Amino acid sequence: MLGFVCPKDHQPLALTADGAALISAAGIRYPLRDGIPDFVPGAEAELSPAGNQDFYRTRAHEYDRGNDVMFKMLLSEQEPVREELIDALKLRPGSRVLEIGCGTCRDTVHLLHRKVAVYAGDLSHEMLAIGKQRLEEAGADLDRVRLFQSDVMHLPFADGFFDAAYHFGGLNLFPDIAASLSEMARVVKPGGQVVAGDEGVGPWLSRTNFARILKNSNPLFEHSAPIDKLPIGARDVTCRWVLNGSFYLISFRVGTGEPQLDLDVGFPGWRGGSHRTRYFGRLEGVSPQLRETVIKQAAAEGLSISAWLEKTLRKATD
C-alpha cells in the first residue's frame, strides 16, 4: 500500500491488524476488496459521485465492446492510437505515473510497456476487477502497478507524488472538471506532465455530417475542449484532436502560480512607463483638454508621458 494517503487530510495510512482496510490517524477506514483499496466517499461525504459510479458499475462488462466499436467506426487502429496518446506524457523509465479513470486497464497495459510504476484508479470496482484480470492475462509486471478505487476530486496521494498524470475517456462526465484537473496537477511534481482527453469533435468540423452523425448517436461528442478549466499553474499548454478529430487531447506541464513578468522593463514610445507604473501607478482621470496639454508638453521636453508625469508630480509633492 506504499504511497497512499488519506484523501481528506493527506496524512499517511496504516494497514489494520486484520489486513482488511487502511486506516488514518483520525480513524477513517478505507476497506480493501481483492487487495484494491476503496477511497470513494460514502453517503456521509459532502460530495458523493454515486451517480457516475452506478453508471459504470452497470456497464462494466459492456465497456470493452463499446471501445472496440468506437475505434472501428472511427477507422482507427486501437493499439497504435493508445501508444500515441501515452507518448504525450513524455515518460522516462522509472517514472511514477497516475492513471485516473483507468476503466478496464486498456491504457494501463500500454503504460507498463514504458517501464514505469503505475497507480491506476477508477470510480468503479467492477471496472477495476476486469482490469486486474486483463493485466494478469497480458503478463504485465504486477509489481509495477497498484490499483485503487477513487473519486478524481479527492485523490489519495500527497502533493507532487507523481511524475505525470493521465486520463482519457471520462473527463466530460466529471462533476467538476476544473477541480478535477487541479487535483490531478496537485499530485504531480512541478515540471511533470498532465494529459487528459475525451469526446469532443473539433470546432472546424462542427458543421459537417461527420460531426452531426457522431453527436446524433452520442451527445458527449457535443463537448468542447475545456481549456478554460485548466489550473492557473498550467504551462506549455497544447490541445489537439485525435481519432479523426473526434476527441480532444489536452496536455500541460505543471507549474506554480501565475506566470511571472518583469514589471519594470521600460516601454519605448510616447507613453513610456512600465507594467508596474501603468497598472499599479494609475491615477484618477483628468479632462481631455488637460490630457492633450500634458502630451504636448512632454513631447516638447523630449520626454515620454510617464517620465514627464513622474518629474512634474515629484516636483509638486517635494
Side-chain angles (χ1 to χ4, degrees), residues 135-181:
L135 293 173
E136 291 170 349
E137 291 174 353
D141 182 357
L142 299 182
D143 289 336
R144 289 192 287 111
V145 61
R146 288 183 172 82
L147 303 179
F148 66 98
Q149 188 176 355
S150 174
D151 171 12
V152 65
M153 298 202 309
H154 304 89
L155 293 173
F157 303 102
D159 295 359
F161 184 69
F162 294 100
D163 297 294
Y166 176 81
H167 167 78
F168 190 76
L171 188 60
N172 294 332
L173 293 177
F174 286 176
D176 186 332
I177 292 175
S180 300
L181 290 171

Side-chain angles (χ1 to χ4, degrees), residues 79 104-110 112-113 130-142 144:
E79 303 310 308
T104 59
C105 292
R106 289 201 172 203
D107 285 325
T108 315
V109 173
H110 290 272
L112 289 170
H113 290 165
I130 296 172
K132 184 178 181 181
Q133 183 178 354
R134 166 170 278 115
L135 293 173
E136 291 170 349
E137 291 174 353
D141 182 357
L142 299 182
R144 289 192 287 111

Side-chain angles (χ1 to χ4, degrees), residues 116-271:
V116 297
V118 181
Y119 285 70
D122 199 87
L123 197 59
S124 163
H125 181 80
E126 285 71 17
M127 290 280 198
L128 291 168
I130 296 172
K132 184 178 181 181
Q133 183 178 354
R134 166 170 278 115
L135 293 173
E136 291 170 349
E137 291 174 353
D141 182 357
L142 299 182
D143 289 336
R144 289 192 287 111
V145 61
R146 288 183 172 82
L147 303 179
F148 66 98
Q149 188 176 355
S150 174
D151 171 12
V152 65
M153 298 202 309
H154 304 89
L155 293 173
F157 303 102
D159 295 359
F161 184 69
F162 294 100
D163 297 294
Y166 176 81
H167 167 78
F168 190 76
L171 188 60
N172 294 332
L173 293 177
F174 286 176
D176 186 332
I177 292 175
S180 300
L181 290 171
S182 180
E183 180 70 347
M184 288 175 68
R186 177 188 69 79
V187 300
V188 172
K189 299 172 184 175
Q193 200 77 2
V194 175
V195 173
D198 206 353
E199 292 104 336
V201 176
W204 71 95
L205 296 170
S206 60
R207 297 181 182 178
T208 63
N209 283 332
F210 173 83
R212 295 187 189 102
I213 291 168
L214 286 177
K215 294 172 183 179
N216 178 66
S217 291
N218 183 354
L220 287 175
F221 285 105
E222 297 271 4
H223 283 264
S224 300
I227 295 293
D228 59 326
K229 302 294 195 298
L230 298 184
I232 290 172
R235 302 285 190 271
D236 302 329
V237 177
T238 66
C239 181
R240 60 190 179 96
W241 280 259
V242 297
L243 290 166
N244 289 336
S246 62
F247 280 70
Y248 59 83
L249 189 73
I250 299 170
S251 63
F252 64 89
R253 180 171 55 83
V254 175
T256 304
E258 297 183 20
Q260 297 298 302
L261 286 169
D262 187 334
L263 300 177
D264 298 309
V265 172
F267 294 120
W270 65 275
R271 282 183 67 192

